[in-house]
Amino acid sequence: MLITGTAGFIGSHVAEALETAGHDISGFDLRNGDDVRDADRLERALRGVDAVVHQAAKVGLGVNIADMPDYVSINAYGTAVVLAAMARCRVARLVLASSMVVYGEGAYDCAAHGRVRPGPRAERDLAAGFFEPRCPRCAAALTSAAIGEDAPADPRSVYATTKLTQEHLAASWARETGGTAVALRYHNVYGPRMPRDTPYSGVAAIFRSALEAGRAPTVFEDGGQRRDFVHVRDVARANAAALDAGVPGALTAYNIASGEPHTVGELAAALAAERGGPEPVTTGEYRLGDVRHIVASPDRAAEELGFRAGIGFAAGMRELATAPLG
């Protein structure tokens, strides 16, 4: 099988897991001079391949709108090139690295109106320190709930839009070719080899990089944002399980998550404690593309993939506190 993005954080762990499971793999990555937008090079790499595990992508929320062309070119156009090459080479199985960002805000319940999906938070509310979404029908306070794969998509950033586009392209490929596509919607992945502190890093890497430099982790909003932090080795196991999942002619999506949500403030505090400080600082800052709470239901992955995360939050934070970064 061919794995794209094998030199990256998640892709490198996926490659190791699939090799350990006995799969014959080949890698395709920019660091080796490969580019998923290069159709000729892709076709050569796809000869004799029976499946593609597509991890290559430009990740993170980005810096500003100037990042839009790169996100679209790499994530959307690049995936289209991969899928077209798979069709020409008659490769009939795809495992796609998707993301929880396709949902936008997570699931919420209103005491009066049941399950609701609030729209983007208003900047005036964020600036005033009001971070919790309100019911879109009555403006009442909401309770965060676990989101399932059938929830409607509502991407809130360019990156999120391109991840949803990848899913739509993969679904079209599956329908037109009869291929099998599985989209793994990763939640907040952390672990060894995370990229060091850049504007495109995940929050766990940003906090860990700050602590390594002797700086206090800077926590935005009030630190109460709930997320599902899942270890990269668990994510790699999910990719191995996905190779036997799905149905021909369709795309099936799965949340890949721990099932045990924690707040961003708890993440910062746990890493600081493992490193011996400094203590996190909560600033009240915000980013318009961020969502408040996004908590996953892991049930479909458990039932259909046989996948449950095995590395708990405490053990994962203990490892991440001193693990080598990328």
Side-chain angles (χ1 to χ4, degrees):
M1 75 183 63
L2 181 71
I3 305 175
T4 69
T6 46
F9 163 47
I10 298 175
S12 65
H13 285 276
V14 171
E16 289 175 359
L18 293 180
E19 282 186 318
T20 299
H23 293 283
D24 183 13
I25 70 167
S26 57
F28 197 87
D29 196 276
L30 273 174
R31 297 184 197 180
N32 301 324
D34 299 320
D35 188 331
V36 293
R37 294 165 295 187
D38 186 333
D40 292 337
R41 198 175 183 106
L42 262 173
E43 286 200 26
R44 290 194 294 272
L46 286 169
R47 290 171 186 163
V49 164
D50 61 354
V52 170
V53 180
H54 186 31
Q55 304 288 322
K58 183 177 178 69
V59 300
L61 186 62
V63 176
N64 55 45
I65 205 68
D67 285 326
M68 184 181 288
D70 279 346
Y71 277 109
V72 173
S73 178
I74 296 168
N75 296 355
Y77 176 69
T79 296
V81 174
V82 169
L83 294 169
M86 289 175 64
R88 289 191 296 272
C89 296
R90 301 185 183 279
V91 180
R93 179 170 289 276
L94 172 73
V95 177
L96 172 68
S98 187
S99 172
M100 55 98 174
V101 296
V102 302
Y103 296 120
E105 281 286 355
Y108 294 86
D109 291 325
C110 172
H113 298 106
R115 182 61 48 90
V116 295
R117 295 296 301 278
R121 296 177 291 171
E123 186 169 11
R124 64 179 178 276
D125 290 338
L126 297 172
F130 299 120
F131 301 120
E132 293 291 339
R134 294 279 177 170
C135 177
R137 297 179 62 184
C138 67
L142 299 172
T143 301
S144 175
I147 196 164
E149 291 86 350
D150 293 330
D154 186 16
R156 302 286 177 87
S157 68
V158 173
Y159 170 62
T161 299
T162 63
K163 296 308 287 184
L164 183 58
T165 299
Q166 287 183 319
E167 289 195 16
H168 288 322
L169 291 169
S172 295
W173 166 84
R175 284 192 297 270
E176 294 189 27
T177 67
T180 300
V182 173
L184 302 182
R185 292 175 178 166
Y186 302 158
H187 284 251
N188 289 69
V189 186
Y190 72 92
R193 302 178 213 150
M194 289 192 82
R196 291 186 181 275
D197 190 3
T198 79
Y200 306 95
S201 296
V203 67
I206 292 172
F207 290 165
R208 162 58 203 280
S209 295
L211 289 162
E212 190 171 34
R215 304 190 310 270
T218 300
V219 180
F220 280 15
E221 300 187 16
D222 59 1
Q225 310 93 305
R226 296 174 73 231
R227 298 289 189 270
D228 190 303
F229 299 99
V230 58
H231 197 282
V232 68
R233 288 196 297 274
D234 282 330
V235 170
R237 288 195 303 107
N239 275 269
L243 286 167
D244 296 321
V247 294
L251 178 139
T252 309
Y254 296 95
N255 285 326
I256 302 303
S258 72
E260 299 179 2
H262 291 269
T263 68
V264 172
E266 288 170 344
L267 170 71
L271 283 174
E274 293 292 345
R275 294 279 306 187
E279 291 296 312
V281 174
T282 302
T283 68
E285 295 175 82
Y286 58 87
R287 298 189 302 181
L288 288 178
D290 283 341
V291 298
R292 181 60 176 174
H293 305 300
I294 176 70
V295 175
S297 168
D299 293 344
R300 179 184 289 178
E303 294 167 4
E304 298 182 14
L305 299 182
F307 168 78
R308 285 197 181 275
I311 300 174
F313 183 77
M317 292 300 106
R318 192 177 309 120
E319 178 189 29
L320 180 61
T322 57
L325 301 182

